[in-house]
Amino acid sequence: MAILERFGDIIKANINVLLEKMEDPEKMIDQYLEDMMKDLAEVKQSTAEVMAEETRTKRLVDQNEAEVAKYNEFAKKALMAGNEADARTFINKKQELENVGAGLMTAYAAAHENAIKMRQMHDKLTADIETLKTRRQVIKSKVKVAKTQETLNEATQATKKIAGAKSAFERMEDKASRMLDEANAMAELNMEPIDEAKALEEKYASMGNASVDDELNKLKEELGL
């Protein structure tokens, strides 16, 4: 029976450890729950079949034991009646039934063991499914909160990057201002110094020269005009 081959995996499965290992619990928990429901349906069907086989083999064992007991009583009665040959016949039949009974007991033991395993799987799967159903909404809520927090973290990082870029621009602007100030200062230093004496010389030199109008008026006086 295929489901019995998975007995160890199902019984050993730790639902809590499994949930912790899920990379995307929100998606995987639904898929895992669906898979477990399919397993449970198969286990229920197989359990019913195994229990029916257990009941059938137990009935055959009981019938065989009753037949063995019956022929044992017949053998006793034959001996009491002084008919040893008949007693021997009954004993031979009894031994044949006992041999058959040994095989039936083996079959019953196997069916009984399988039934126990199937019940264990059924109970384990049922408990795990109930655990998943109970925790599913909690897990999904936590995942949503976690994703929201991740979004906020990303937004915070983006804000920090923007602030960093703004700070860098401010530093660049300050540097440009310093460069401009330095250039203006250098230009001022490179200008030739003003010769104050030269400026005064030009001022006073112009004071000794008559204007054109003055000279024209003087000529008019000489000519009597």
Side-chain angles (χ1 to χ4, degrees):
M1 189 174 296
I3 192 66
L4 283 172
E5 295 176 359
R6 297 182 54 204
F7 173 76
D9 293 336
I10 292 175
I11 294 300
K12 292 178 183 178
N14 187 318
I15 192 66
N16 294 316
V17 173
L18 178 68
L19 290 173
E20 291 175 0
K21 290 182 178 180
M22 287 182 177
E23 294 181 2
D24 190 346
E26 187 177 16
K27 293 181 180 179
M28 294 184 68
I29 192 171
D30 289 334
Q31 182 60 51
Y32 193 71
L33 183 58
E34 182 180 346
D35 293 341
M36 289 180 69
M37 292 297 292
K38 291 179 180 178
D39 284 342
L40 182 59
E42 184 179 353
V43 166
K44 283 184 176 180
Q45 179 62 36
S46 298
T47 300
E49 294 173 0
V50 169
M51 290 178 67
E53 179 64 15
E54 179 187 21
T55 300
R56 188 185 72 84
T57 53
K58 182 63 169 64
R59 183 171 60 252
L60 292 175
V61 167
D62 292 342
Q63 290 174 352
N64 178 266
E65 289 178 348
E67 287 292 299
V68 168
K70 181 180 72 173
Y71 283 105
N72 188 58
E73 288 299 318
F74 283 158
K76 289 179 180 180
K77 290 179 180 180
L79 285 174
M80 291 176 65
N83 195 336
E84 186 173 335
D86 289 346
R88 186 179 296 276
T89 299
F90 290 137
I91 290 174
N92 285 334
K93 182 63 175 179
K94 171 179 170 287
Q95 289 178 346
E96 289 177 5
L97 290 171
E98 286 175 340
N99 290 333
V100 172
L104 290 174
M105 282 299 298
T106 300
Y108 170 70
H112 180 67
E113 181 66 22
N114 287 341
I116 291 175
K117 288 183 177 181
M118 295 305 297
R119 291 190 189 98
Q120 288 177 343
M121 280 194 288
H122 177 274
D123 294 344
K124 177 68 165 52
L125 283 171
T126 300
D128 285 349
I129 287 171
E130 290 304 313
T131 298
L132 279 180
K133 287 181 177 179
T134 300
R135 296 185 60 185
R136 177 170 55 180
Q137 293 304 320
V138 175
I139 289 173
K140 287 190 174 185
S141 296
K142 287 183 177 180
V143 169
K144 288 181 180 179
V145 171
K147 288 183 177 180
T148 300
Q149 187 60 51
E150 288 178 0
T151 301
L152 290 175
N153 292 341
E154 291 174 358
T156 300
Q157 291 298 323
T159 301
K160 289 181 178 179
K161 289 181 180 179
I162 293 173
K166 182 178 180 181
S167 178
F169 280 123
E170 290 176 349
R171 289 195 299 271
M172 291 172 64
E173 185 176 2
D174 290 342
K175 183 176 181 180
S177 297
R178 289 196 303 271
M179 291 174 65
L180 179 60
D181 291 340
E182 290 175 2
N184 289 335
M186 184 62 69
E188 185 176 342
L189 291 173
N190 289 335
M191 291 177 62
E192 293 184 1
I194 298 175
D195 190 340
E196 295 182 0
K198 186 70 175 176
L200 291 174
E201 179 182 344
E202 292 177 355
K203 175 181 177 181
Y204 287 102
S206 62
M207 292 178 64
N209 297 327
S211 66
V212 173
D213 290 337
D214 291 340
E215 189 171 348
L216 182 60
N217 291 329
K218 184 178 179 180
L219 289 174
K220 285 181 178 181
E221 289 178 359
E222 291 178 355
L223 295 173
L225 297 176

